[in-house]
């Protein structure tokens, strides 16, 4: 059985206190790093960006459609302009001039139809651009919220790390003053069990919160003062004192 002076064993409670604070800060760090608000905002941003992308595609397609409609109107208007110039010149056979008048009338009807299409596309494009602007606003709002929360969490994480750094320094200094053999047992127990040492107080292990059975308690009482004994439930080192018996 490993041994260490009772006074040295008692020091383990101070080390365990520092480790408990470091564990609490590690839990706090994990909670901050997995803040559900970030996950929710990331999901919302993904959806909003998808809808924004769809809105941009719709606007792009409508703009292309408008350019085609404008080109069609311009092409017909150019033909009308040419035909009217020929008609106004008065040159050519009478039947040709009559045919030209009919073509101009047909082209004017075609231009009117195309201008109606152009107007419809323009109105639809205005609506699609408004939708894109609204969706961009939603994305901007989510990104703003994300940035605000991320900044808050980063500040809290920095504070947690600063506090943990202070405790780690204290722990290193404290551990340097402990019996090397005892420290090795403590570190191994801490790594395996999550708790390195705790008081045995009036028959109750403060590591597990459980009262030792009469048989386990008898074994602990029978152990020498410098024996290192362990909690049968948690596996932590049990630090004893006559005052706590």
């Amino acid at each position: 059985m490993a041994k260490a002076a009772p006074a040295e064993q008692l020091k383990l409670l101070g080390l365990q206190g520092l480790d408990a604070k470091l564990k609490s800060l590690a839990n706090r760090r994990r909670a901050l790093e997995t803040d559900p608000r970030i996950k929710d905002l990331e999901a919302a941003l993904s959806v909003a960006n998808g809808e924004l992308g769809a809105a941009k595609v719709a606007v792009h397609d409508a703009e292309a459609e408008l350019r085609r409609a404008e080109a069609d109107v311009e092409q017909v208007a150019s033909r009308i302009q040419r035909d009217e110039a020929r008609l106004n010149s008065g040159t050519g056979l009478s039947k040709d001039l009559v045919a030209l008048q009919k073509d101009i009338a047909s082209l004017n009807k075609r231009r009117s139809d195309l201008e109606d299409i152009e107007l419809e596309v323009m109105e639809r494009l205005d609506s699609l651009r408004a939708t894109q602007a609204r969706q961009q606003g939603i994305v901007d709002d989510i990104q703003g919220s994300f940035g605000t929360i991320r900044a808050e969490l980063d500040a809290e994480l920095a504070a947690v790390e600063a506090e943990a750094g202070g405790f780690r320094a204290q722990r290193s200094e404290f551990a340097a003053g402990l019996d090397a053999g005892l420290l090795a047992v403590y570190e191994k127990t801490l790594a395996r069990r999550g708790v390195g040492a705790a008081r045995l107080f009036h028959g109750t292990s403060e590591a597990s919160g459980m009262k030792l059975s009469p048989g386990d308690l008898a074994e602990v009482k029978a152990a020498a003062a410098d024996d290192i004994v362990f909690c049968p439930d948690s596996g932590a080192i049990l630090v004893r004192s006559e005052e706590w018996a």
Side-chain angles (χ1 to χ4, degrees):
M1 179 179 289
K3 293 180 177 291
E8 285 296 305
Q9 293 188 42
L10 191 60
K11 292 179 184 179
L12 291 180
L13 297 180
L15 186 61
Q16 179 60 59
L18 291 171
D19 283 331
K21 290 177 181 178
L22 286 169
K23 183 177 181 179
S24 176
L25 289 170
N27 291 337
R28 175 61 179 157
R29 185 186 303 109
R30 280 192 295 272
L32 290 170
E33 290 172 344
T34 58
D35 191 301
R37 294 176 298 170
I38 292 295
K39 187 175 182 180
D40 291 344
L41 284 172
E42 286 175 341
L45 185 59
S46 177
V47 172
N49 275 326
E51 293 178 354
L52 177 59
K56 288 180 177 179
V57 169
V59 167
H60 178 271
D61 290 346
E63 288 174 341
E65 187 179 353
L66 179 59
R67 286 192 295 271
R68 289 193 298 271
E70 289 172 340
D72 289 343
V73 170
E74 184 178 352
Q75 185 179 29
V76 172
S78 296
R79 287 185 59 188
I80 291 172
Q81 188 177 12
R82 286 197 309 271
D83 288 352
E84 286 179 341
R86 288 177 58 195
L87 182 64
N88 292 335
S89 71
T91 59
L93 298 175
S94 176
K95 65 177 183 179
D96 292 336
L97 295 177
V98 171
L100 198 56
Q101 286 178 325
K102 290 181 179 180
D103 285 343
I104 291 172
S106 177
L107 287 170
N108 277 322
K109 175 64 170 63
R110 174 62 176 160
R111 180 170 66 178
S112 178
D113 292 342
L114 289 173
E115 286 175 342
D116 288 343
I117 293 173
E118 181 183 14
L119 180 60
E120 183 276 328
V121 174
M122 289 176 65
E123 290 174 347
R124 180 154 44 88
L125 180 57
D126 286 343
S127 176
L128 290 172
R129 283 172 172 165
T131 298
Q132 178 182 336
R134 285 194 300 272
Q135 196 59 40
Q136 183 66 61
I138 293 173
V139 170
D140 291 344
D141 286 344
I142 295 174
Q143 287 177 330
S145 298
F146 185 92
T148 298
I149 293 173
R150 185 71 267 171
E152 292 174 358
L153 293 175
D154 286 346
E156 290 188 58
L157 282 167
V160 167
E161 181 54 34
E163 188 174 1
F167 282 127
R168 282 194 292 269
Q170 291 181 45
R171 187 191 193 281
S172 295
E173 183 178 354
F174 192 94
L178 292 177
D179 175 81
L182 177 62
L183 179 61
V185 174
Y186 171 87
E187 296 286 18
K188 184 176 180 179
T189 304
L190 178 67
R192 187 172 65 249
R193 304 293 186 176
V195 178
R199 290 197 308 173
L200 176 62
F201 190 73
H202 296 305
T204 296
S205 165
E206 292 188 346
S208 66
M210 302 289 291
K211 192 172 186 64
L212 270 64
S213 68
D216 289 332
L217 191 57
E219 288 185 14
V220 170
K221 288 181 177 180
D226 62 350
D227 285 340
I228 299 175
V229 297
F230 299 89
C231 171
D233 294 308
S234 69
I237 297 170
L238 286 178
V239 178
R240 297 160 290 158
S241 169
E242 291 182 0
E243 298 175 6
W244 308 334

